[in-house]
């Protein structure tokens, strides 16, 4: 046997996630490996007919304090941490009757899942594992002699080594140790973040003294935003329906840009309550290029596509309802990278399957636009952390600031436009009419340029569709932040807008209001800004 291979004589198993546990333990037992376990894990193994010792046989102490104390003992940690080739360590083991433990199989109390289901404070605290992380870290530290498994996905790796080598290789143990420390770091990060959120609810102005973020690899990506950049997709943080929870029904592998754009599209479409109306968002380079509500999904899609059919080519399509066959047929008429929806009918999936490279993702649900959470942006030497922008226009007290109030139809379009502008890169301007975008200006250094670009794109779309006048005629306009001068508003008026929704708050609000009154248009203030950089 090679010098770096370590046989396994005894394994300690203590898991919350029992996926694949019994077959794995049976394979170990078949090789003559002694099994030691705790609590529910021991019960599951015993019920499967396996001979399994209780951890109290190693410690000489029973579980106590409602299971809080059971493995925190030299009889366990000495068996894990002992360096097998160290004479002093072997002497200590002999003197105290400590048996070596060559394999530690532990996954932790389900803290993240407990938080995700909205459990109370005390329940969350009880699901903070102590003994588990201690054993994992001990085994990972002593990976020269001990293998540690923290995920059922690694069972096959251990069994493959046993089959091929008669023990675990150093390369395998190192890899398992890396996974172990990543898991305990992610776990502790989730706990620290939860405590920070608890504190934030009690004191919204206080920032946590330190922050930790972690995740587990979901997929290694071919490259990043550009081919010379490496990239990978990790899953972590609070559970939220979206790309991290989605099932890919078909299509080639998602790229970095696909994932980024799909996330943007699905978060945007979630602003539109499926109980109110079907809605579709088309995204290109993380910006909406068409958004609409309709009587049906296919109507909403066609209205969204009409806003900017050029940009929609090669875009991402997000729907707020189950994808049906009629909408699927319309979407596959042009080249599309990804379709994402809560679900898809069998007929719709079959239609999409005719385009072998088109990715179809189903998420099971929409994310809550009012939901909390944190957004992280990396900077050189650090990162910025902020709460999610969960302000929703339906919850805002709109203030009419012009002599003319908006009509009921204008109000509906204004609310629609403000839902969209929240998801457009700043400086953002959105023209909307009949619950559909007709012009979008994004990411410009000046707001007036965004207004001009949006109007220009609306003229191009009208010309392509054979309309006699720009789609912005009779539209409403939304701005993600206040108009610093009247010029941006005047551009929107010249484009044909009849009503405006904006946060307000500029020192020149009076000038902007006066320009609106002079043109006879309506304007409402939200008091809420939606910058998105």
């Amino acid at each position: 046997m090679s010098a770096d291979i370590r046989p396994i004589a005894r394994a300690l198993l203590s898991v919350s996630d029992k996926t694949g546990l019994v077959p794995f333990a049976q394979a170990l037992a078949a090789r003559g490996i002694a099994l030691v376990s705790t609590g529910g894990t021991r019960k599951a193994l015993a019920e499967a007919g396996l001979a399994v010792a209780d951890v109290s046989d190693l410690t000489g102490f029973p579980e106590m304090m409602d299971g809080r104390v059971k493995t925190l003992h030299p009889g366990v940690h000495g068996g894990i941490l002992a360096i097998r080739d160290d004479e002093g360590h072997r002497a200590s083991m002999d003197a105290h009757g400590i048996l070596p433990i060559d394999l530690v199989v532990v996954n932790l109390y389900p803290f993240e899942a407990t938080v995700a289901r909205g459990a109370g404070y005390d329940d969350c605290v009880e699901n903070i594992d102590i003994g588990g992380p201690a054993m994992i870290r001990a085994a990972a530290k002593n990976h020269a002699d001990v293998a540690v498994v923290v995920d059922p996905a690694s069972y096959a790796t251990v069994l493959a080594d046993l089959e091929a080598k008669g023990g675990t290789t150093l390369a395998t143990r190192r890899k398992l140790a890396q996974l172990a420390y990543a898991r305990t770091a992610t776990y502790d990060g989730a706990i620290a973040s939860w405590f920070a959120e608890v504190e934030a609810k009690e004191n919204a102005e206080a920032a946590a003294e330190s922050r930790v973020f972690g995740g587990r690899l979901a997929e290694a990506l071919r490259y990043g935003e550009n081919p010379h950049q490496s990239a990978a997709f990790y899953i972590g943080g609070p559970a939220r329906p979206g790309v991290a929870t989605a099932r890919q029904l078909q299509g080639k592998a998602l790229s970095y840009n696909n994932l980024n754009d799909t996330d943007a599209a699905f978060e945007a479409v979630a602003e539109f309550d499926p109980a109110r109306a079907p809605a579709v968002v088309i995204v290109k380079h993380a910006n909406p290029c068409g958004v609409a509500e309709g009587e049906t999904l296919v109507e909403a899609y066609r209205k969204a596509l009409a806003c900017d059919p050029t940009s929609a080519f090669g875009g991402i399509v997000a729907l707020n309802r189950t994808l049906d066959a009629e909408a699927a047929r319309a979407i596959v008429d042009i080249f599309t990278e990804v379709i994402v929806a809560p679900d898809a009918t069998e007929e719709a999936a079959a239609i999409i399957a005719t385009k072998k490279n088109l990715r179809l993702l189903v998420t099971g649900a929409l994310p809550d636009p009012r939901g909390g959470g944190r957004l992280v942006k990396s900077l050189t030497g650090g990162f910025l952390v902020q709460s999610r922008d969960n302000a929703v226009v339906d919850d805002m007290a709109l203030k009419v600031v012009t002599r003319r109030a908006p009509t009921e139809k204008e109000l509906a379009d204004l609310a629609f436009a403000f839902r969209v502008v929240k998801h457009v890169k700043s400086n953002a301007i959105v023209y909307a009419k009949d619950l559909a975008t007709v012009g979008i200006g994004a990411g410009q250094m000046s707001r007036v340029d965004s207004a001009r670009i949006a109007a220009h794109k609306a003229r191009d779309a009208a010309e392509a569709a054979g309309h006699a006048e720009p789609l912005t005629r009779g539209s409403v306009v939304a701005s993600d932040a206040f108009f610093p001068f009247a010029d941006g508003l005047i551009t929107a008026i010249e484009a044909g807008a009849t009503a405006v929704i904006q946060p307000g708050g500029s020192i020149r609000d009076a000038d902007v209001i006066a320009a609106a009154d002079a043109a006879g248009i309506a304007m409402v203030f939200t008091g809420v800004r939606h910058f998105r950089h």
Side-chain angles (χ1 to χ4, degrees), residues 269-287:
V269 85
E271 298 286 341
F272 300 91
D273 185 355
R276 183 180 61 241
V280 171
V281 173
I282 306 173
V283 159
K284 190 71 170 290
H285 293 289
N287 269 307

Side-chain angles (χ1 to χ4, degrees), residues 3-6 83-84 139-147 170 173:
D4 78 347
I5 294 173
R6 294 292 183 267
I83 298 173
R84 306 309 196 252
K141 176 175 180 174
N142 201 27
H143 66 272
D145 291 314
V146 179
L170 180 59
R173 294 193 302 277

Side-chain angles (χ1 to χ4, degrees), residues 113-477:
T114 303
V115 172
R117 65 178 169 81
Y121 183 90
D122 290 343
D123 196 3
C124 290
V125 169
E126 278 308 305
N127 276 277
I128 296 175
D129 204 330
I130 302 301
M135 288 189 291
I136 289 171
R137 290 175 59 80
K141 176 175 180 174
N142 201 27
H143 66 272
D145 291 314
V146 179
V148 58
V149 173
V150 297
D151 189 324
S154 297
Y155 292 167
T157 300
V158 172
L159 294 179
D161 262 15
L162 289 173
E163 178 68 26
K165 307 290 186 179
T168 58
T169 64
L170 180 59
T172 292
R173 294 193 302 277
R174 281 178 176 165
K175 178 61 176 177
L176 293 173
Q178 186 275 324
L179 294 173
Y181 281 121
R183 176 60 185 133
T184 57
T186 301
Y187 191 74
D188 284 342
I191 295 167
S193 295
W194 174 73
F195 273 115
E197 294 300 323
V198 170
E199 291 297 312
K201 288 177 182 177
E202 296 180 359
N203 183 0
E205 302 302 318
E209 289 293 327
S210 62
R211 280 279 187 180
V212 181
F213 300 94
R216 60 179 177 84
L217 180 66
E219 185 179 3
L221 305 175
R222 288 179 59 202
Y223 53 82
E225 284 186 281
N226 301 291
H228 63 277
Q229 295 173 266
S230 60
F233 177 37
Y234 292 85
I235 295 175
R240 183 175 175 85
V243 292
T245 65
R247 289 188 299 119
Q248 184 170 346
L249 300 187
Q250 76 129 62
K252 61 184 180 179
L254 291 156
S255 70
Y256 179 99
N257 291 327
N258 291 152
L259 288 163
N260 187 55
D261 290 353
T262 301
D263 180 68
F266 202 56
E267 287 290 333
V269 85
E271 298 286 341
F272 300 91
D273 185 355
R276 183 180 61 241
V280 171
V281 173
I282 306 173
V283 159
K284 190 71 170 290
H285 293 289
N287 269 307
C289 60
V291 183
E293 289 184 333
E295 291 296 320
T296 63
L297 281 174
V298 70
E299 180 188 341
Y301 172 74
R302 287 173 175 150
K303 288 169 67 177
L305 182 64
C307 177
D308 189 353
T310 300
S311 297
F313 185 84
I316 311 294
V317 177
L319 307 95
N320 70 343
R321 290 186 179 180
T322 297
L323 174 68
D324 57 36
E326 191 176 12
R329 290 189 191 96
I331 293 170
V332 298
D333 275 348
I334 69 167
F335 171 55
T336 300
E337 289 277 8
V338 181
I339 301 171
V340 59
D343 206 348
T345 66
E346 289 186 12
E347 187 178 3
I351 292 166
I352 302 303
T354 63
K355 305 291 184 179
K356 66 177 183 178
N357 290 331
L358 173 56
R359 296 89 160 180
L360 174 59
L361 307 181
V362 294
T363 64
L366 289 170
D368 180 4
R370 296 178 175 84
R374 299 282 156 177
L375 301 178
V376 183
K377 178 180 176 64
S378 63
L379 302 179
T380 303
F383 46 87
L384 295 170
V385 181
Q386 65 173 340
S387 61
R388 183 180 298 278
D389 181 1
N390 59 0
V392 174
V393 67
D394 295 330
D395 302 333
M396 299 173 192
L398 304 184
K399 179 183 178 183
V400 178
V401 294
T402 47
R403 288 193 293 267
R404 181 173 84 77
T407 66
E408 187 174 336
K409 180 180 181 301
E410 286 173 331
L411 270 175
D413 279 340
L414 288 169
F416 172 91
F418 209 63
R419 290 188 192 98
V420 177
V421 84
K422 175 180 174 180
H423 293 269
V424 179
K425 303 298 184 187
S426 188
N427 286 313
I429 293 290
V430 172
Y431 295 92
K433 183 178 180 181
D434 298 327
L435 303 180
T437 56
V438 294
I440 299 174
Q444 299 306 302
M445 288 68 76
S446 73
R447 192 159 301 280
V448 65
D449 282 344
S450 287
R452 289 168 178 159
I453 289 171
H456 175 73
K457 292 181 80 67
R459 288 194 297 272
D460 286 349
E463 183 178 339
H467 296 303
E469 60 180 8
L471 302 177
T472 49
R473 294 295 175 193
S475 68
V476 305
V477 66

